[in-house]
Amino acid sequence: WPSEPDVAGAFLPTPPMQQAPRYTGRRIDVDLKDADIHNVLRILADAGRVNVVAADNVDGTVTIRLKNVPWDQALDTILQAKKLGMVRRGNIIRVALMSDLNKERELALERRKSELQLAPIETRLIPISYANAGDLQQRAKELLSPRGSIAVDERTNVLIARDVGGNHNQIEELIRALDTQTPQVLIE
């Protein structure tokens, strides 16, 4: 009979949208005791044929024994154990403290928000051929930035979109997809 914790664990819900990452790296065997983290990262970089750059505050030792494990899974496991994170661009992996990487992400988000606030507002006229511009206005409003607006000129059946430059293409693409001719049926 399974013990009670095993039985209870079988009924716990799996968190949604949390899939195990897929590891595709070459399988390796690693057996190290009190090895410097920088040397371990170098070994894994050689195994994965990638470049690894570690931040200055990445330090410590690692004791690890893994058999027949993909190198990228070994790297991920070591980084989690040491509260480290990585950013991968091409074949360069940058390793830093997870807290530093989170701060960098927050700063990047703030920078994007401020750029959006400072971006100039542009106006684009989007002529509507087949549909009613008033009907398409509601659909296009979902794509606007907080500073954007969309109006309808009933006389010419044109949408007047005022928003930052990057959003105009998405709005126009949506309008072109929705502004289609209604199929006609010929009855003789």
Side-chain angles (χ1 to χ4, degrees):
W1 290 94
S3 65
E4 293 216 12
D6 291 339
V7 171
F11 295 102
L12 290 176
T14 307
M17 304 295 284
Q18 231 183 19
Q19 293 179 341
R22 295 184 183 249
Y23 299 109
T24 59
R26 187 174 62 130
R27 294 187 170 275
I28 58 171
D29 294 336
V30 180
D31 189 2
L32 302 168
K33 183 178 182 194
D34 294 329
D36 182 49
I37 186 78
H38 292 279
N39 291 331
V40 174
L41 292 174
R42 289 180 61 166
I43 290 169
L44 294 174
D46 287 341
R49 296 185 180 96
V50 294
N51 301 303
V52 174
V53 178
D56 291 338
N57 56 359
V58 173
D59 58 355
T61 59
V62 176
T63 299
I64 183 172
R65 180 176 180 163
L66 300 171
K67 293 214 175 269
N68 196 24
V69 175
W71 74 268
D72 46 352
Q73 184 177 10
L75 174 64
D76 206 27
T77 304
I78 291 169
L79 294 179
Q80 285 178 356
K82 299 302 259 177
K83 294 184 175 73
L84 299 171
M86 69 175 179
V87 176
R88 186 172 188 157
R89 289 198 178 102
N91 71 339
I92 298 176
I93 296 175
R94 186 170 65 91
V95 176
L97 291 174
M98 188 62 84
S99 59
D100 293 347
L101 292 176
N102 288 338
K103 286 178 190 173
E104 286 177 11
R105 283 188 198 106
E106 289 173 11
L107 286 173
L109 283 172
E110 289 298 320
R111 188 171 42 248
R112 277 191 225 124
K113 285 180 184 177
S114 66
E115 286 173 0
L116 187 63
Q117 291 299 323
L118 296 174
I121 298 288
E122 298 174 7
T123 302
R124 189 175 291 183
L125 302 176
I126 306 171
I128 310 297
S129 301
Y130 303 109
N132 181 354
D135 296 340
L136 297 180
Q137 178 185 17
Q138 291 303 318
R139 301 264 173 115
K141 274 187 179 178
E142 297 170 8
L143 298 177
L144 292 174
S145 72
R147 293 175 55 203
S149 66
I150 194 156
V152 175
D153 181 32
E154 299 286 341
R155 188 178 62 83
T156 57
N157 205 34
V158 169
L159 282 176
I160 304 165
R162 292 182 44 79
D163 207 349
V164 292
N167 280 4
H168 283 298
N169 293 338
Q170 291 178 335
I171 293 169
E172 199 162 354
E173 201 173 300
L174 174 71
I175 298 302
R176 295 285 164 248
L178 296 176
D179 185 28
T180 57
Q181 190 171 13
T182 305
Q184 299 293 318
V185 177
L186 178 64
I187 300 174
E188 290 187 22

